[in-house]
Amino acid sequence: ISIATFGDTLAVGTWGSGLFMLKNGKIAGRLRPPQIPGPIVTGCFRDRKGGYWIATDKGIAYGKTIRQISPLYPDKIQKLFINFCQLANGDVCAGGETGVIIFTEDGAIKKMLTQADGLQGKEVRAFYEDQEGLLWIGASAGGLGLQRRGQQCRRVRLAVADAGDEVARAVGVADR
């Protein structure tokens, strides 16, 4: 349920069988518990420093090399995570069912954003950092958040022109 390239290797996440590594169309390796937290792999990412990030149904794995990949903070991170995004400053965001975790490039937790911090919606499904350095956070069940560095997450209200129009426009930003 996820596909990424790690150099010349194709990383294919599965629904229950872990992560397969393919080279030249052949299986070159496989990651599964306990090397990764869960057997359902929902996202794979390689950061600018070459670190490997794996999102699973039971947490996140990280390693500076493929061989070093292991569960990241297994005592704190035990829920579904879906995706990753690297910010201009090098931080890595991970989105999932409990919100957002912002890590340093070396895997240290820098900040956690949840509904208690103003994050709207359920599972975090998308990120976008704009030219001003604002982090836009998209979540299922109607959540769109805006994170300014050093401030609480803010909710963005959307209006849709009509039922058939899939294009939404931001009509205002309000504190939670």
Side-chain angles (χ1 to χ4, degrees), residues 45 47-49 53 85-93 102-107 110 129 149:
F45 177 71
D47 65 37
R48 289 188 292 249
K49 284 188 173 180
W53 300 80
C85 170
Q86 189 158 30
L87 304 178
N89 68 359
D91 291 347
V92 174
C93 298
I102 301 175
F103 296 94
T104 65
E105 277 181 303
D106 297 319
K110 190 171 187 178
E129 184 181 25
R149 288 193 187 102

Side-chain angles (χ1 to χ4, degrees), residues 31-109:
L31 302 178
R32 56 186 164 192
Q35 190 174 6
I36 58 176
I40 299 172
V41 177
T42 53
C44 308
F45 177 71
R46 191 160 186 203
D47 65 37
R48 289 188 292 249
K49 284 188 173 180
Y52 297 89
W53 300 80
I54 311 297
T56 78
D57 61 317
K58 295 184 179 177
I60 298 170
Y62 169 78
K64 291 185 179 184
T65 68
I66 290 175
R67 293 187 194 277
Q68 292 176 334
I69 293 173
S70 64
L72 191 61
Y73 301 101
D75 55 326
K76 289 183 181 182
I77 305 172
Q78 300 174 349
K79 299 282 185 174
L80 169 72
F81 276 82
I82 301 166
N83 58 10
F84 300 99
C85 170
Q86 189 158 30
L87 304 178
N89 68 359
D91 291 347
V92 174
C93 298
E97 74 177 331
T98 57
V100 178
I101 301 176
I102 301 175
F103 296 94
T104 65
E105 277 181 303
D106 297 319
I109 294 175

